[in-house]
Amino acid sequence: MNDTLDRWIQRVTLAAMVALAAALLAVGVSLYASDSEAHEPAASATHSVP
């Protein structure tokens, strides 16, 4: 293959990996946010236990 096609493939692959990393980060943040909201009432309930 020629160098131009190799560079094009590298750029597309890099863009795909960056997009995948951003998507995984967004999913992780949204799951972490929903998980922390779900545990707020439980955290206040444990303060009354000695």
Side-chain angles (χ1 to χ4, degrees):
M1 280 195 268
N2 59 16
D3 291 337
T4 306
L5 184 60
D6 286 342
R7 287 181 188 239
W8 186 83
I9 291 171
Q10 287 177 356
R11 289 177 182 162
V12 169
T13 304
L14 179 63
M17 287 193 301
V18 169
L20 180 62
L24 288 173
L25 185 64
V27 169
V29 167
S30 66
L31 288 175
Y32 179 76
S34 67
D35 188 44
S36 63
E37 289 174 2
H39 289 290
E40 284 178 9
S44 63
T46 58
H47 292 296
S48 63
V49 177

